[in-house]
Amino acid sequence: MKKLMFLVIALTGFTFASQAQVNVSINLGTQPAWGPTGYDYVDYYYLPDIETYYYVPDRVYIYRNGNSWHRSRILPARYTSYDVYNMHKVVINGVNRPYLKNKVYKEKYGNFKGQHDQTPIRDSREEKYYVNRYHPQHAQWQKEHPGNNGHGNNGNNGHGNKGGNGHGKGKDKH
């Protein structure tokens, strides 16, 4: 009886563990071309140089204006001298409205201001990034993959990040 109970528990645990690993999401096709390589899924980018956030699902920048946070598809004029392709980006996953804890992110990642150490999706030669509609190779990729919606998630809309906290820089140290 104990062996049977152990077998049932073991099989149940194996089934749950298998299901937990299946729900992995990819949003390469909706990330901006200036986003850093190394991430299959991103909720937010934090841009330490301008203390601004970018929310990938809505494609909007979230920046401080006085005492409130504003959302816009384009950066305000005061940031026109900044190049989002070359500034450092911090990936934030699994946090709802991180800008409401801006002090935490500013203190934790402020030392990345002025760093130009990431390859943007636009400049990557890895084929997996060609799904991004702003990548220079996207048109050719689309011809070779007819019927793909360009979002790179194969219909999966979950929010898995492969067990990481989303704050790393892909393969390299952050």
Side-chain angles (χ1 to χ4, degrees):
M1 185 67 175
K2 286 182 181 181
K3 288 182 182 180
L4 181 60
M5 187 61 126
F6 177 76
L7 183 60
V8 169
I9 291 171
L11 287 174
T12 303
F14 177 74
T15 302
F16 285 125
S18 297
Q19 289 174 350
Q21 294 175 2
V22 172
N23 189 16
V24 174
S25 181
I26 299 173
N27 69 350
L28 287 173
T30 58
Q31 292 178 36
W34 50 259
T37 58
Y39 302 94
D40 290 343
Y41 184 85
V42 176
D43 285 326
Y44 287 90
Y45 293 109
Y46 172 59
L47 311 172
D49 285 5
I50 55 177
E51 295 178 28
T52 296
Y53 297 81
Y54 183 83
Y55 185 48
V56 174
D58 289 349
R59 297 184 180 133
V60 294
Y61 292 95
I62 303 168
Y63 58 91
R64 190 112 126 141
N65 192 6
N67 289 328
S68 59
W69 290 95
H70 292 266
R71 297 165 61 94
S72 175
R73 292 211 180 252
I74 59 172
L75 284 169
R78 67 180 181 249
Y79 298 131
T80 55
S81 65
Y82 289 91
D83 181 1
V84 293
Y85 283 91
N86 290 317
M87 68 175 61
H88 190 87
K89 280 76 68 177
V90 176
V91 171
I92 302 173
N93 284 330
V95 178
N96 188 27
R97 299 186 295 176
Y99 50 91
L100 296 179
K101 297 178 182 173
N102 187 53
K103 185 177 179 182
V104 171
Y105 292 102
K106 184 178 176 179
E107 288 176 9
K108 190 170 184 178
Y109 300 112
N111 60 323
F112 289 107
K113 279 185 175 185
Q115 290 192 20
H116 310 285
D117 57 351
Q118 296 170 313
T119 301
I121 290 171
R122 174 196 66 187
D123 298 343
S124 176
R125 297 295 159 237
E126 285 185 69
E127 186 176 350
K128 74 178 188 174
Y129 294 107
Y130 298 174
V131 69
N132 188 294
R133 66 182 170 170
Y134 301 109
H135 193 284
Q137 299 296 324
H138 178 71
Q140 181 62 36
W141 178 87
Q142 214 169 19
K143 288 178 189 174
E144 295 170 4
H145 299 85
N148 189 294
N149 64 8
H151 291 282
N153 66 2
N154 298 321
N156 184 347
N157 293 321
H159 295 282
N161 65 0
K162 296 186 180 180
N165 65 8
H167 298 286
K169 185 184 170 242
K171 298 174 192 164
D172 301 326
K173 283 187 172 180
H174 199 249

